[in-house]
Amino acid sequence: MEKIRFGVVGSNFVTDRMIEGGRMDPRFELVAVCSRSRETGDAFALKHGIPEVYTSLDGMLGSGSVDAVYIATPNYVHAGQAIACMEAGKHVLCEKPMASNEREVSAMIESARVNDVVLMEAMLTTLSPAFRVLCDNLYRVGTVRRYFSSYCQYSSRYDALKEGRVANAFRPELSNGAVMDIGVYCLYPMVVLFGQPAGITASAMKLSTGVDGQGTVMARYDGFDAVVIYSKIADSVLPTEIQGESGTLTVDRINNPRRVTFIPHDRSLPAESLPVEPVGSFYYYEVREFIDVIESGRRESEINSLECSLTTIRVIDGVRSQSGIVYPADM
């Protein structure tokens, strides 16, 4: 079996989880880590048994050791790092959101096509078993009338912000904030399911740092609308729903979907809990999809496609524009 040799850029808990899921696929081989600090890189390599440590991306790319790179760094550097990797002939799995804005994502897509490599956004939920079940049963709701999705999770970093300490999660110079961090979990599946909306109306609560703490988006489609709420300063336990004239599909948590239920419009019929494959690691499914695309000779995922990534960041740009959220990367 041919192995795909991975290098990772970024030594954080998200990378930890990707490695755990990736190693469930026998084609995944982790060979290198790139970290700004040698000490941090060495500690991460020891933790995961990684043979090579680099403190510069150029060093890792020039080593000849890696076929693909997983990028889990702050949003504002995604585009530059991904393009450098692709120009070196490496496939790229890039954490969500793909980049700071549409201009950067467009440049990344152009680089992927010019260099004939795979570029995929690491939106794991749309590759999960529950999302596949949702897609397979979408027809059961009949004519769609509304998509509703909520992801609201109070951040401990917000407590620090209220005490005057600004965490990275709320720094505009890093292209962060609520819509980029968690709103994207609601918007990306919307785009995968229904494509680009005809228009959006958005509002957000801007924090003292200039990023959004929470927001609401209404997207308009032909014959129905989509409502998305997200927050890092309040909690919600509301499920995601796709409401139709024949019934409603619900997903327990859009960022961590495990249960899908169909509720018929005819209330004399019982709600049906749809069978979903048990999940060991959501990251396994995104790594598997990424490797499948590489080995197939295709250059993009049919689910987490480049068009979906471009459309999603276009929607996010619109949300930020209407909410007055500006990043240095936009200048």
PDB file of all heavy atoms in Angstrom, residues 12 22 28 68 72 93 113 134 136-137 140 157 183-184 206 208 213 243 260 291 298 308 322:
ATOM      1  N   ASN A  12      -0.680  22.338  17.615  1.00  0.00           N
ATOM      2  CA  ASN A  12      -1.705  22.661  18.603  1.00  0.00           C
ATOM      3  C   ASN A  12      -2.655  21.477  18.776  1.00  0.00           C
ATOM      4  O   ASN A  12      -2.455  20.412  18.190  1.00  0.00           O
ATOM      5  CB  ASN A  12      -2.464  23.920  18.176  1.00  0.00           C
ATOM      6  CG  ASN A  12      -2.978  23.810  16.745  1.00  0.00           C
ATOM      7  OD1 ASN A  12      -3.554  22.795  16.350  1.00  0.00           O
ATOM      8  ND2 ASN A  12      -2.754  24.850  15.950  1.00  0.00           N
ATOM      9  N   GLY A  22      -5.897  10.684  11.484  1.00  0.00           N
ATOM     10  CA  GLY A  22      -5.130  10.289  10.305  1.00  0.00           C
ATOM     11  C   GLY A  22      -4.510   8.918  10.456  1.00  0.00           C
ATOM     12  O   GLY A  22      -4.484   8.126   9.503  1.00  0.00           O
ATOM     13  N   PHE A  28      -1.778   6.826   5.769  1.00  0.00           N
ATOM     14  CA  PHE A  28      -1.274   8.053   6.380  1.00  0.00           C
ATOM     15  C   PHE A  28       0.056   7.791   7.067  1.00  0.00           C
ATOM     16  O   PHE A  28       0.172   6.895   7.895  1.00  0.00           O
ATOM     17  CB  PHE A  28      -2.301   8.569   7.389  1.00  0.00           C
ATOM     18  CG  PHE A  28      -1.865   9.774   8.185  1.00  0.00           C
ATOM     19  CD1 PHE A  28      -2.105  11.055   7.720  1.00  0.00           C
ATOM     20  CD2 PHE A  28      -1.233   9.624   9.419  1.00  0.00           C
ATOM     21  CE1 PHE A  28      -1.731  12.171   8.472  1.00  0.00           C
ATOM     22  CE2 PHE A  28      -0.855  10.729  10.175  1.00  0.00           C
ATOM     23  CZ  PHE A  28      -1.105  12.007   9.694  1.00  0.00           C
ATOM     24  N   ALA A  68       2.462  15.703   1.235  1.00  0.00           N
ATOM     25  CA  ALA A  68       1.295  16.517   1.535  1.00  0.00           C
ATOM     26  C   ALA A  68       1.523  17.256   2.843  1.00  0.00           C
ATOM     27  O   ALA A  68       2.259  16.797   3.723  1.00  0.00           O
ATOM     28  CB  ALA A  68       0.038  15.646   1.641  1.00  0.00           C
ATOM     29  N   ALA A  72      -2.425  24.032  10.056  1.00  0.00           N
ATOM     30  CA  ALA A  72      -3.295  24.348  11.191  1.00  0.00           C
ATOM     31  C   ALA A  72      -2.714  25.533  11.952  1.00  0.00           C
ATOM     32  O   ALA A  72      -2.492  25.476  13.166  1.00  0.00           O
ATOM     33  CB  ALA A  72      -3.455  23.139  12.097  1.00  0.00           C
ATOM     34  N   LEU A  93      -3.902  20.109   2.755  1.00  0.00           N
ATOM     35  CA  LEU A  93      -5.127  20.020   3.540  1.00  0.00           C
ATOM     36  C   LEU A  93      -5.079  21.185   4.513  1.00  0.00           C
ATOM     37  O   LEU A  93      -4.239  21.208   5.423  1.00  0.00           O
ATOM     38  CB  LEU A  93      -5.187  18.686   4.287  1.00  0.00           C
ATOM     39  CG  LEU A  93      -6.373  18.457   5.221  1.00  0.00           C
ATOM     40  CD1 LEU A  93      -7.699  18.485   4.460  1.00  0.00           C
ATOM     41  CD2 LEU A  93      -6.210  17.135   5.980  1.00  0.00           C
ATOM     42  N   ARG A 113      -4.402  24.770  -9.145  1.00  0.00           N
ATOM     43  CA  ARG A 113      -4.612  24.382 -10.539  1.00  0.00           C
ATOM     44  C   ARG A 113      -3.338  24.523 -11.364  1.00  0.00           C
ATOM     45  O   ARG A 113      -3.023  23.655 -12.173  1.00  0.00           O
ATOM     46  CB  ARG A 113      -5.757  25.215 -11.116  1.00  0.00           C
ATOM     47  CG  ARG A 113      -7.103  24.792 -10.520  1.00  0.00           C
ATOM     48  CD  ARG A 113      -8.251  25.679 -10.900  1.00  0.00           C
ATOM     49  NE  ARG A 113      -9.508  25.116 -10.381  1.00  0.00           N
ATOM     50  CZ  ARG A 113     -10.635  25.803 -10.220  1.00  0.00           C
ATOM     51  NH1 ARG A 113     -10.673  27.092 -10.531  1.00  0.00           N
ATOM     52  NH2 ARG A 113     -11.712  25.216  -9.754  1.00  0.00           N
ATOM     53  N   LEU A 134     -27.631  12.688   6.269  1.00  0.00           N
ATOM     54  CA  LEU A 134     -28.460  13.864   6.022  1.00  0.00           C
ATOM     55  C   LEU A 134     -28.664  14.077   4.525  1.00  0.00           C
ATOM     56  O   LEU A 134     -29.796  14.270   4.052  1.00  0.00           O
ATOM     57  CB  LEU A 134     -27.809  15.096   6.645  1.00  0.00           C
ATOM     58  CG  LEU A 134     -28.532  16.434   6.438  1.00  0.00           C
ATOM     59  CD1 LEU A 134     -29.806  16.476   7.247  1.00  0.00           C
ATOM     60  CD2 LEU A 134     -27.615  17.591   6.824  1.00  0.00           C
ATOM     61  N   ASP A 136     -28.342  11.903   2.072  1.00  0.00           N
ATOM     62  CA  ASP A 136     -29.066  10.774   1.470  1.00  0.00           C
ATOM     63  C   ASP A 136     -30.569  10.845   1.743  1.00  0.00           C
ATOM     64  O   ASP A 136     -31.361  10.263   1.001  1.00  0.00           O
ATOM     65  CB  ASP A 136     -28.511   9.446   1.992  1.00  0.00           C
ATOM     66  CG  ASP A 136     -27.119   9.138   1.479  1.00  0.00           C
ATOM     67  OD1 ASP A 136     -26.678   9.789   0.509  1.00  0.00           O
ATOM     68  OD2 ASP A 136     -26.461   8.249   2.064  1.00  0.00           O
ATOM     69  N   ASN A 137     -30.951  11.525   2.821  1.00  0.00           N
ATOM     70  CA  ASN A 137     -32.360  11.582   3.207  1.00  0.00           C
ATOM     71  C   ASN A 137     -32.989  12.950   2.984  1.00  0.00           C
ATOM     72  O   ASN A 137     -34.143  13.163   3.370  1.00  0.00           O
ATOM     73  CB  ASN A 137     -32.509  11.179   4.675  1.00  0.00           C
ATOM     74  CG  ASN A 137     -32.305   9.696   4.908  1.00  0.00           C
ATOM     75  OD1 ASN A 137     -33.247   8.913   4.808  1.00  0.00           O
ATOM     76  ND2 ASN A 137     -31.068   9.303   5.186  1.00  0.00           N
ATOM     77  N   ARG A 140     -36.537  13.415   1.598  1.00  0.00           N
ATOM     78  CA  ARG A 140     -37.706  13.067   2.409  1.00  0.00           C
ATOM     79  C   ARG A 140     -38.447  14.289   2.949  1.00  0.00           C
ATOM     80  O   ARG A 140     -39.619  14.195   3.313  1.00  0.00           O
ATOM     81  CB  ARG A 140     -37.294  12.144   3.558  1.00  0.00           C
ATOM     82  CG  ARG A 140     -36.690  10.832   3.077  1.00  0.00           C
ATOM     83  CD  ARG A 140     -36.272   9.937   4.209  1.00  0.00           C
ATOM     84  NE  ARG A 140     -37.420   9.405   4.945  1.00  0.00           N
ATOM     85  CZ  ARG A 140     -37.305   8.591   5.993  1.00  0.00           C
ATOM     86  NH1 ARG A 140     -36.095   8.211   6.412  1.00  0.00           N
ATOM     87  NH2 ARG A 140     -38.372   8.141   6.613  1.00  0.00           N
ATOM     88  N   ARG A 157     -12.070  32.105  26.566  1.00  0.00           N
ATOM     89  CA  ARG A 157     -11.211  33.229  26.180  1.00  0.00           C
ATOM     90  C   ARG A 157     -11.957  34.560  26.266  1.00  0.00           C
ATOM     91  O   ARG A 157     -11.341  35.620  26.358  1.00  0.00           O
ATOM     92  CB  ARG A 157     -10.666  33.006  24.770  1.00  0.00           C
ATOM     93  CG  ARG A 157      -9.758  31.775  24.658  1.00  0.00           C
ATOM     94  CD  ARG A 157      -9.334  31.526  23.221  1.00  0.00           C
ATOM     95  NE  ARG A 157      -8.483  30.360  23.087  1.00  0.00           N
ATOM     96  CZ  ARG A 157      -8.929  29.116  22.935  1.00  0.00           C
ATOM     97  NH1 ARG A 157     -10.234  28.899  22.895  1.00  0.00           N
ATOM     98  NH2 ARG A 157      -8.095  28.113  22.823  1.00  0.00           N
ATOM     99  N   GLY A 183     -18.982  30.231  13.157  1.00  0.00           N
ATOM    100  CA  GLY A 183     -20.060  30.463  12.196  1.00  0.00           C
ATOM    101  C   GLY A 183     -19.868  29.672  10.919  1.00  0.00           C
ATOM    102  O   GLY A 183     -20.829  29.222  10.290  1.00  0.00           O
ATOM    103  N   VAL A 184     -18.608  29.463  10.553  1.00  0.00           N
ATOM    104  CA  VAL A 184     -18.296  28.717   9.336  1.00  0.00           C
ATOM    105  C   VAL A 184     -18.838  27.289   9.396  1.00  0.00           C
ATOM    106  O   VAL A 184     -19.182  26.700   8.364  1.00  0.00           O
ATOM    107  CB  VAL A 184     -16.767  28.727   9.081  1.00  0.00           C
ATOM    108  CG1 VAL A 184     -16.011  27.969  10.163  1.00  0.00           C
ATOM    109  CG2 VAL A 184     -16.427  28.180   7.706  1.00  0.00           C
ATOM    110  N   LYS A 206     -20.096  43.457  17.672  1.00  0.00           N
ATOM    111  CA  LYS A 206     -18.656  43.677  17.582  1.00  0.00           C
ATOM    112  C   LYS A 206     -18.078  43.865  18.981  1.00  0.00           C
ATOM    113  O   LYS A 206     -18.612  44.612  19.802  1.00  0.00           O
ATOM    114  CB  LYS A 206     -18.360  44.895  16.716  1.00  0.00           C
ATOM    115  CG  LYS A 206     -16.883  45.060  16.395  1.00  0.00           C
ATOM    116  CD  LYS A 206     -16.595  46.350  15.633  1.00  0.00           C
ATOM    117  CE  LYS A 206     -17.166  46.341  14.242  1.00  0.00           C
ATOM    118  NZ  LYS A 206     -16.697  47.521  13.466  1.00  0.00           N
ATOM    119  N   SER A 208     -14.681  44.698  21.631  1.00  0.00           N
ATOM    120  CA  SER A 208     -13.764  45.840  21.763  1.00  0.00           C
ATOM    121  C   SER A 208     -12.552  45.725  20.853  1.00  0.00           C
ATOM    122  O   SER A 208     -11.960  46.736  20.465  1.00  0.00           O
ATOM    123  CB  SER A 208     -13.309  45.969  23.216  1.00  0.00           C
ATOM    124  OG  SER A 208     -12.655  44.771  23.653  1.00  0.00           O
ATOM    125  N   GLY A 213     -18.325  38.899  18.258  1.00  0.00           N
ATOM    126  CA  GLY A 213     -18.503  37.919  19.315  1.00  0.00           C
ATOM    127  C   GLY A 213     -19.635  36.969  19.005  1.00  0.00           C
ATOM    128  O   GLY A 213     -19.632  35.817  19.449  1.00  0.00           O
ATOM    129  N   GLN A 243     -36.134  22.163   7.147  1.00  0.00           N
ATOM    130  CA  GLN A 243     -37.587  22.097   7.212  1.00  0.00           C
ATOM    131  C   GLN A 243     -38.161  22.050   5.799  1.00  0.00           C
ATOM    132  O   GLN A 243     -37.776  22.847   4.940  1.00  0.00           O
ATOM    133  CB  GLN A 243     -38.140  23.322   7.950  1.00  0.00           C
ATOM    134  CG  GLN A 243     -37.556  23.513   9.341  1.00  0.00           C
ATOM    135  CD  GLN A 243     -37.823  24.890   9.905  1.00  0.00           C
ATOM    136  OE1 GLN A 243     -38.559  25.684   9.318  1.00  0.00           O
ATOM    137  NE2 GLN A 243     -37.213  25.194  11.047  1.00  0.00           N
ATOM    138  N   VAL A 260     -29.061  11.977  13.432  1.00  0.00           N
ATOM    139  CA  VAL A 260     -29.944  12.587  12.436  1.00  0.00           C
ATOM    140  C   VAL A 260     -31.334  11.998  12.635  1.00  0.00           C
ATOM    141  O   VAL A 260     -31.483  10.772  12.755  1.00  0.00           O
ATOM    142  CB  VAL A 260     -29.461  12.309  10.993  1.00  0.00           C
ATOM    143  CG1 VAL A 260     -30.386  12.976   9.977  1.00  0.00           C
ATOM    144  CG2 VAL A 260     -28.030  12.801  10.812  1.00  0.00           C
ATOM    145  N   ILE A 291      -6.842  11.778   1.131  1.00  0.00           N
ATOM    146  CA  ILE A 291      -5.979  10.770   0.513  1.00  0.00           C
ATOM    147  C   ILE A 291      -6.689  10.106  -0.668  1.00  0.00           C
ATOM    148  O   ILE A 291      -6.065   9.834  -1.709  1.00  0.00           O
ATOM    149  CB  ILE A 291      -5.541   9.725   1.556  1.00  0.00           C
ATOM    150  CG1 ILE A 291      -4.625  10.382   2.602  1.00  0.00           C
ATOM    151  CG2 ILE A 291      -4.811   8.559   0.888  1.00  0.00           C
ATOM    152  CD1 ILE A 291      -4.206   9.455   3.736  1.00  0.00           C
ATOM    153  N   ARG A 298      -7.877  12.759  -9.098  1.00  0.00           N
ATOM    154  CA  ARG A 298      -8.663  13.988  -9.140  1.00  0.00           C
ATOM    155  C   ARG A 298      -7.902  15.075  -8.383  1.00  0.00           C
ATOM    156  O   ARG A 298      -6.954  14.807  -7.654  1.00  0.00           O
ATOM    157  CB  ARG A 298     -10.036  13.764  -8.501  1.00  0.00           C
ATOM    158  CG  ARG A 298     -10.933  12.808  -9.297  1.00  0.00           C
ATOM    159  CD  ARG A 298     -12.292  12.639  -8.630  1.00  0.00           C
ATOM    160  NE  ARG A 298     -12.204  11.800  -7.429  1.00  0.00           N
ATOM    161  CZ  ARG A 298     -12.525  12.190  -6.206  1.00  0.00           C
ATOM    162  NH1 ARG A 298     -12.938  13.426  -5.999  1.00  0.00           N
ATOM    163  NH2 ARG A 298     -12.420  11.363  -5.178  1.00  0.00           N
ATOM    164  N   CYS A 308     -17.053  25.121  -3.175  1.00  0.00           N
ATOM    165  CA  CYS A 308     -17.693  25.283  -1.864  1.00  0.00           C
ATOM    166  C   CYS A 308     -16.855  26.187  -0.963  1.00  0.00           C
ATOM    167  O   CYS A 308     -17.404  27.042  -0.242  1.00  0.00           O
ATOM    168  CB  CYS A 308     -17.899  23.927  -1.196  1.00  0.00           C
ATOM    169  SG  CYS A 308     -19.299  22.999  -1.863  1.00  0.00           S
ATOM    170  N   GLN A 322     -21.229  43.559   6.040  1.00  0.00           N
ATOM    171  CA  GLN A 322     -22.461  44.113   6.595  1.00  0.00           C
ATOM    172  C   GLN A 322     -22.340  44.366   8.094  1.00  0.00           C
ATOM    173  O   GLN A 322     -23.108  45.162   8.653  1.00  0.00           O
ATOM    174  CB  GLN A 322     -23.622  43.174   6.320  1.00  0.00           C
ATOM    175  CG  GLN A 322     -23.995  43.078   4.838  1.00  0.00           C
ATOM    176  CD  GLN A 322     -25.251  42.246   4.602  1.00  0.00           C
ATOM    177  OE1 GLN A 322     -26.127  42.168   5.452  1.00  0.00           O
ATOM    178  NE2 GLN A 322     -25.328  41.628   3.428  1.00  0.00           N
TER     179      GLN A 322
END
